[in-house]
Each structure stands twice: as C-alpha cells, then as structure tokens.
Amino acid sequence: MLFKVRHAFRRYLSTSSASYAPKQQISKLLIANRGEIACRVMKTANRLGIQTVAVFSDADERSLHVKLANEAYNIGPAASQQSYLRGDKILEVAKRAGCQAIHPGYGFLSENVEFAELCQKEGVIFIGPPASAIRDMGIKSTSKHIMSEAGVPIINGYHGDDQSDERLVQEAKKIGFPLMIKAVRGGGGKGMRIAETEADFMSALQSARTESMKAFGDSAMLLERYVRSPRHVEVQVFADHYGNAVYLYERDCSVQRRHQKIIEEAPAPGLSEELRRQLGEAAVRAAKAVNYVGAGTVEFILDKEDLCFHFMEMNTRLQVEHPITEMITGTDLVEWQIKVASGEPLAVSQEQIKKTGHAFEARIYAEDPAGGFLPGAGPLNYLSTPEPSNTIRVETGVRQGDEVSIHYDPMIAKLVVWGENRASALQLLIEQLRNYQIAGLQTNINFLIDLAKHNHFQAADVHTGFIDQHMDSLFPIKKVPAERIAQMALAYVLNENATTRKSFNRQNPFDLELDFRPNYTPTRAFKLKVGDTEHQIELRSKDVNFEVRVDNGEWLLINATRKPHPNRFLLQTNINGHVSCFNTVIENGSIALYDDHGLTIAEVVQPKFLQSEAGLEGAAAGSVLAPMPGVLDKVFVKPGDTVKAGTPLAVLIAMKMEHVLKAAKDGVVKSVPNAEGSNVQKGAVLVAFEQ
C-alpha cells in the first residue's frame, strides 16, 4: 500500500511539471560519452546545425569523437570512475562551454538518476527521461510493481526488500529451478547468473552480488523464473512532454553471449501483426505509467513455444541497436531526442509510423569467441570497412591506427544493413561482414559470418540460448587445407623479399627473386602456426613459380604474385588452374589472409634458440597467464603457497567484467610478478609455479 501511495505521488509531481517542459533552442550540445555513440550523436547534431562539445579521458585524447567535435575537454584519468562517470566534472564543462544540453548516449551516466537531477538543478537540459522515470525503471523490483499495476504482463519472481540469504533461498525454492538471479540495478548482463539447481544457488548469488556491487554500487538482487528457450523481443518507444507516446515496432535481440546482444534484427521475425500490436501497446502503457519522455526501450521475454510475452525491464535511454529501428522506419531517433528535449511535441502519430523491409545489426568486438568470448584489446593496425550507402551503415568510433583500450567496452563497430525482406538483408549482412577486415587484434568477425550463415539462424529459429545449443556447429574443428597454408607461406616469403630488397638494396642471400640464380634450386624451411597446430613448410622457387610442401605432403606447384597497396597487399595464386586473390596483411611475423570465409591467421614460429633467448620457451607450462589485457584486481596467493587444482589465484578486471583465474593443477607458487592494481597485457605471467 505504501508503495502505491509513493508512486502515485511521484506521478502527480511528474504530471504537474509536464507544463514546465523546456522550450529552449539547443545550439550547443555536450556529449557525455565516448566512442561510437558520441560520433553518432555528433553526426545528427552537425546536420541540425548544433555545435558539439566532447569530453575525453587521458586514454581518449586522440580518439575520433574528440576530432569530430567542435570543442573537447579532458575530464580525468582513463578509469571511467574518474572521468566518464564524474557527472560533476562533465556538468562543469557543459556550463563553461555554454552548452544548453547534455546527451548522455548509452552506458556511463545515461541512466544515472543523480546526474539527471543535477542537470535539472543547474538548468542544463538532460536529453533523456525525467529522473523519476529513470529511478522507477532502473530499480527492477520497483519497475515490476509499476508494470503490474499498468496491466503489463510480468514474469513470476521475487522482487522484495528482504535480501537476507535465508529469505532469498526460501523464495528461490518457491519459484523453482532453474531460476535467474539479477542485480536490481543491473544491465548489460552484469550481476546476472542462472542457478540450475538448489545446490548452485548460493555460489551464483554471491558471484552476482559481487559483480553488481562493482558495477552499480548495489548488491540487491531479484529472482525470476527462468524460461529455458525464450526470445528477447524489445519495443522502441518514444514520448514527449505533452503525454503523447508512440512505438516504432520491435527488435529481436535473442542471439546473445554472456547475456549481451550480438546480432539484432528488426522487425522480429515470425510475429503476427496482432502480436506486434499487442507488444507495442503494452510498451506504450509501460512508458505512460512512469510519465516517460524521450527514447526508451521496453524489453520482453517472449516464450518461443506459445509466444506469450512478459515484461523484463525498461532501458531508459537510447539503445545500442537503435539504428535498425531507424532503418525500417526512416527516422532519426537522435533528432527526435534533441527536438523533444527542447520542448517540441512529437511530430507524428502512431498511425503515421510505418515499417518497411528488414534490418540487421552485427556488433563487431575485440574478443575471442572460441575462448569463451573473452574480451580483448590492442591496436587496429589494419582496418578496412564496407562502403556506407542507403542500405549499409558502419557505426564506429575508431580509425586505423587507433587502439581498443582495456578500460572500456571492447566493441569496435556496429555493421547495420537493410534489405527489402529478411533473406535479402541477411545475405547483405554476410557479404559486408566479409568486407570488414581488421588486423592487429582478435575479433569476432569470423564467428559473426558463421552465425549469420547457420541454417537455424537463416530460418529465424532463434532464442537466447542459441549459441549454447549450437556450440558444436558454430565452433567446429576447422582443418585448414594444405593449399591455404602454402598460400600463407608464399605471402610471407614474397612480402619478406619485397621489404628486404627495399631495405638492403637486394643484398639478401635468402631472396628467392634475385636476378642471379645458382645452378641449383635452394629450399627454404620454416614453420607456421595456424590455430594450435604447427606446420612444417618447405619452399623453393624460380621467378614467379613456386613449389611448396606442407607437412611432408605433396609438392604443390603455385604461380604467385604480390601487388602492393597501402598497409596491405594482394596475393594472387594459381594452383592447377584455380586462381585466387587474397587481401593480405603481414606484421611482426603474423600473416592475415581475407577471403569469402573471413580471416585466416598464421604465425611464423621462432626457432627454439630464439624462444630461449626471449625467455618464452616453457613459460606457459609453469605459469598462469593473463587470458586478455586487463587490470590485476586481486591476488590471493604468495610465493611458497601450496595450492590445489581449482583454487582461485587472482581476479582480472577487463572491459568492466570480473574474471577469476584458478589453478589448473596442484602446485607450489614460485612467484607473483605483477602487483595488485597493475595493468597487464594478454599473455603476461600472473602466477608462476615451481616446475
């Protein structure tokens, strides 16, 4: 009863203040974010004639969003807690620069109640919903009560204030297993765990609490019945200060990893127009229940079998995947945000909003899909993207030569495509993923190609457990053919010859293309590592004709030429009349070949004596290595400790996620080379053991 009274009073205050909607022309806008979304907002602002102000951390001083802005200001160190999450600093910059408004993008301060209230207090327009709506929808337990009152279906669960272990265990037994444990203030998969059985519950609860406290400063949890094969369908809503609200159809975001979206599409496939209308109207009721203003997304769990839907949560901000809604509705949601925030009413009614065609968005990440989608970081030594058009968008905040930082989300870009129907849009997505070529760090592009080509995905047979269900077919053991390995070996040798000739004026005795030839054909031998397998290469040549043997197999006669281009070269080969052309990048002994199957990488194996000199040989055998770049948050052991297999050794923080590293076997700790709080690179020794 007390909840209803409090909520009714908040709604009264919000409704009373609706007439005080800002009516101010926005001529200068600060974007309180970084990377891709900052660049995206600037693009629309520039088109509207609005000047933009960027903020940046020490790590982002040379970033693209800084270059694109009219003005830019440093707001602190790389750590987001000391820069992008410092609302006081950002508001100070906005006032100093003469900005009438702040656009928070997504993440960081976009759903921060205190920041929204501070903006209002200081007379700066916050381009987002009222603070009361952020508060109501940001606390999942509160949002469930409000949605239930508004007639929006909710899923069975526990959303109470009693957070004792005893009460949560009791409620979990009532709900039954499996169940979902969620951070009350969560988002982006953080603070979320699945307890399959009662025996799993306490460990999952503690893990979710720890992660939630780190990410949101709050360890409160809610419990929900876990639907095993749900679809994740969300509805884009938009509302103004005058009580008008519309929905712009729905998106299917079912295919996820680590509870985070990876490919989204709009509209959701396989829904009847009646169900589509019901979802949209429920989303509008949800928005109106909290007097929402601006762009928001109401997320639903859609049962894959009976297509019943239940409210999951509301994201009170612009979503990462908003471009696919724009593609099918012909709208610019950022323009709508700016105009509504400045006091203009919505320019369209529900009847005027039409959808056309189908759109996909693929998120391109620095990560290792086969290694559990562990996030990565590193330099973008080579970057070639599809050409933007009316049907293709590349949303990014990086350029060739930039670095994906360990301090922030590992997303490199979003590839967005539109087609007249789902089949044509999906084919265009696959084609353009092949044209997205990156060297210098590991990405998920090959995985995205395999995912988009998967027969169940092609048939729109999707749900949130899609990747786990199809793990074997999505991650098959791929045998690289001898012809491809031979082509990579040739790419390496031809590139080495060209660079050696340029550097040493053709004095390299190993150059296989010198004009002078002895009366015998020399054979060169070396090793290439592709994946986890080393291959023995033997190679001999005459002019542009080569003989190559892989792993003592048949000798392959190959005609090969190298055509240089900036930062890359084209390798053309002819094997028994089959001509192939590869975009190729070689750097620091790494060979990257791009074709219709995506990227294939090989590493030139150093001789044993060079490995010993570098101190590399045997390092992994007695050490626990960093699986990705990150910050060493905690170390639980010291030299001389005896540990058992499975013992937690250290905690690595990377891309805002916590990773506990455990001992693979029994042993005695020899050394701990890095101190807590230090930045470490991928492959760095964290804990060394006695041999």
Side-chain angles (χ1 to χ4, degrees):
M1 183 63 181
L2 182 59
F3 166 79
K4 293 182 179 180
V5 172
R6 285 200 305 262
H7 179 54
F9 184 62
R10 279 200 300 270
R11 289 189 65 186
Y12 166 75
L13 291 178
S14 297
T15 305
S16 299
S17 63
S19 60
Y20 297 101
K23 293 181 175 63
Q24 181 179 2
Q25 184 69 33
I26 296 174
S27 60
K28 200 170 190 180
L29 174 66
L30 183 145
I31 297 94
N33 217 299
R34 63 179 299 279
E36 167 265 322
I37 185 57
C39 296
R40 161 71 187 92
V41 173
M42 288 175 191
K43 185 182 299 183
T44 292
N46 290 337
R47 181 172 59 78
L48 297 175
I50 298 172
Q51 287 197 314
T52 57
V53 175
V55 292
F56 62 93
S57 70
D58 293 345
D60 279 340
E61 184 175 0
R62 298 185 179 180
S63 293
L64 182 59
H65 79 279
V66 174
K67 179 182 178 182
L68 294 179
N70 297 106
E71 300 175 38
Y73 295 82
N74 184 294
I75 52 170
S80 56
Q81 293 87 348
Q82 301 175 57
S83 52
Y84 296 108
L85 289 173
R86 286 292 302 272
D88 55 341
K89 285 186 178 181
I90 290 172
L91 193 56
E92 179 187 337
V93 169
K95 294 171 70 177
R96 191 191 333 161
C99 298
Q100 296 89 18
I102 293 177
H103 195 301
Y106 48 72
F108 293 138
L109 296 171
S110 62
E111 296 179 286
N112 186 292
V113 175
E114 292 76 16
F115 182 65
E117 290 175 335
L118 187 60
C119 287
Q120 183 178 3
K121 178 182 176 183
E122 296 294 331
V124 177
I125 298 171
F126 176 78
I127 299 186
S132 58
I134 299 175
R135 181 181 291 107
D136 286 345
M137 293 292 97
I139 303 175
K140 289 182 170 56
S141 54
T142 302
S143 69
K144 304 287 184 183
H145 290 298
I146 296 172
M147 293 302 101
S148 181
E149 287 186 0
V152 179
I154 64 171
I155 199 164
N156 180 39
Y158 173 70
H159 317 122
D161 294 331
D162 186 348
Q163 291 287 307
S164 66
D165 289 352
E166 295 76 15
R167 180 61 182 273
L168 292 178
V169 169
Q170 180 184 4
E171 295 295 336
K173 290 178 180 178
K174 287 182 185 176
I175 298 167
F177 295 90
L179 62 78
M180 179 77 79
I181 304 169
K182 285 185 181 180
V184 163
R185 294 183 182 270
K190 299 177 183 66
M192 183 185 296
R193 297 292 186 274
I194 298 169
E196 292 286 349
T197 66
E198 184 178 344
D200 301 329
F201 180 74
M202 283 308 300
S203 61
L205 175 64
Q206 295 305 326
S207 180
R209 278 173 168 167
T210 300
E211 194 167 272
S212 177
M213 179 59 73
K214 284 182 177 293
F216 312 110
D218 190 332
S219 63
M221 295 287 131
L222 61 82
L223 310 178
E224 289 181 347
R225 179 174 68 88
Y226 179 59
V227 181
R228 280 205 177 274
S229 297
R231 287 174 63 180
H232 180 142
V233 175
E234 61 187 30
V235 179
Q236 177 72 60
V237 293
F238 213 102
D240 63 19
H241 289 279
Y242 311 102
N244 304 307
V246 296
Y247 63 88
L248 291 91
Y249 299 99
E250 76 293 335
R251 304 182 284 253
D252 193 306
C253 309
S254 298
V255 180
Q256 306 176 3
R257 86 282 185 267
R258 300 202 318 265
H259 304 297
Q260 292 181 311
K261 304 159 190 174
I262 184 169
I263 289 186
E264 303 99 341
E265 60 182 296
L271 304 191
S272 67
E273 290 304 315
E274 175 62 19
L275 179 56
R276 189 163 279 131
R277 182 187 61 78
Q278 290 175 6
L279 281 163
E281 290 178 352
V284 167
R285 288 200 303 276
K288 288 187 173 183
V290 291
N291 297 292
Y292 199 81
V293 174
T297 301
V298 184
E299 302 192 351
F300 295 98
I301 292 174
L302 183 68
D303 193 295
K304 187 172 179 289
E305 302 304 325
D306 60 17
L307 296 182
C308 291
F309 63 89
H310 305 277
F311 173 82
M312 183 165 56
E313 62 184 2
M314 183 175 186
N315 288 301
T316 52
R317 54 174 167 79
L318 198 66
Q319 287 281 88
V320 177
E321 57 274 19
H322 76 274
I324 54 177
T325 293
E326 294 179 327
M327 294 291 264
I328 67 166
T329 57
T331 56
D332 183 332
L333 294 179
V334 174
E335 179 179 350
W336 283 25
Q337 283 187 300
I338 293 171
K339 289 183 175 180
V340 164
S342 64
E344 293 186 29
L346 275 172
V348 297
S349 64
Q350 187 64 60
E351 292 72 26
Q352 293 173 300
I353 298 173
K354 307 297 181 184
K355 69 180 189 310
T356 305
H358 204 94
F360 282 95
E361 176 181 285
R363 302 190 190 188
I364 296 171
Y365 283 96
E367 66 181 13
D368 177 12
F373 296 97
L374 287 177
L380 294 161
N381 294 331
Y382 174 70
L383 175 62
S384 178
T385 70
E387 191 68 30
S389 68
N390 291 335
T391 59
I392 300 168
R393 284 170 62 169
V394 176
E395 304 280 322
T396 187
V398 296
R399 303 150 295 184
Q400 183 169 287
D402 287 351
E403 187 145 335
V404 177
S405 171
I406 64 172
H407 299 286
Y408 312 114
D409 189 272
M411 189 169 71
I412 297 169
K414 303 179 316 197
L415 175 61
V416 184
V417 301
W418 178 92
E420 292 184 357
N421 51 55
R422 188 177 189 272
S424 62
L426 188 51
Q427 184 57 39
L428 182 60
L429 177 68
I430 295 168
E431 290 174 4
Q432 298 309 317
L433 281 169
R434 291 167 176 159
N435 291 332
Y436 217 116
Q437 300 175 356
I438 297 173
L441 47 72
Q442 190 167 10
T443 76
N444 66 337
I445 293 176
N446 278 17
F447 173 76
L448 290 171
I449 294 172
D450 291 342
L451 175 58
K453 290 167 59 179
H454 196 279
N455 58 342
H456 283 271
F457 190 84
Q458 294 267 330
D461 179 18
V462 294
H463 54 88
T464 57
F466 185 93
I467 292 176
D468 289 337
Q469 179 185 355
H470 300 291
M471 189 68 71
D472 291 343
S473 53
L474 286 171
F475 294 99
I477 298 174
K478 294 184 178 179
K479 180 175 174 58
V480 181
E483 289 83 356
R484 176 59 52 81
I485 297 169
Q487 288 163 329
M488 301 183 87
L490 280 173
Y492 173 68
V493 169
L494 288 174
N495 187 69
E496 184 182 64
N497 291 347
T499 54
T500 301
R501 184 184 297 109
K502 181 178 179 181
S503 301
F504 296 101
N505 195 27
R506 296 172 64 93
Q507 297 301 311
N508 178 16
F510 295 100
D511 190 338
L512 299 178
E513 293 183 351
L514 291 175
D515 292 335
F516 169 74
R517 298 282 178 184
N519 59 0
Y520 63 91
T521 303
T523 299
R524 179 173 178 180
F526 56 97
K527 289 183 178 180
L528 289 183
K529 186 176 183 181
V530 183
D532 295 325
T533 306
E534 289 188 3
H535 300 277
Q536 179 66 45
I537 308 297
E538 296 170 88
L539 186 149
R540 52 199 185 202
S541 73
K542 185 175 182 181
D543 299 324
V544 294
N545 294 312
F546 296 84
E547 290 181 313
V548 186
R549 184 162 69 171
V550 179
D551 297 331
N552 297 312
E554 296 288 331
W555 283 95
L556 300 172
L557 179 61
I558 306 176
N559 176 282
T561 56
R562 174 186 183 274
K563 298 178 181 179
H565 288 261
N567 304 306
R568 62 185 174 92
F569 65 89
L570 295 177
L571 172 71
Q572 183 172 301
T573 64
N574 186 330
I575 305 177
N576 297 325
H578 181 247
V579 178
S580 302
C581 192
F582 302 93
N583 197 13
T584 311
V585 177
I586 296 182
E587 195 166 61
N588 299 325
S590 177
I591 307 153
L593 252 64
Y594 303 89
D595 67 357
D596 286 349
H597 299 287
L599 168 65
T600 306
I601 295 179
E603 302 286 339
V604 179
V605 179
Q606 288 186 328
K608 288 282 187 181
F609 74 93
L610 289 178
Q611 292 185 23
S612 299
E613 286 182 10
L616 300 174
E617 189 175 20
S623 307
V624 173
L625 309 181
M628 73 209 80
V631 176
L632 187 59
D633 187 52
K634 289 188 178 65
V635 179
F636 302 123
V637 294
K638 62 183 183 301
D641 285 355
T642 299
V643 299
K644 297 289 186 183
T647 301
L649 303 174
V651 175
L652 187 69
I653 302 293
M655 310 299 179
K656 302 182 285 187
M657 300 289 282
E658 178 182 280
H659 305 271
V660 180
L661 306 178
K662 299 179 180 180
K665 58 182 180 179
D666 298 354
V668 178
V669 176
K670 180 181 180 181
S671 64
V672 181
N674 295 283
E676 288 185 354
S678 57
N679 292 327
V680 296
Q681 296 300 313
K682 180 179 179 179
V685 177
L686 302 183
V687 179
F689 286 91
E690 299 286 352
Q691 295 290 340

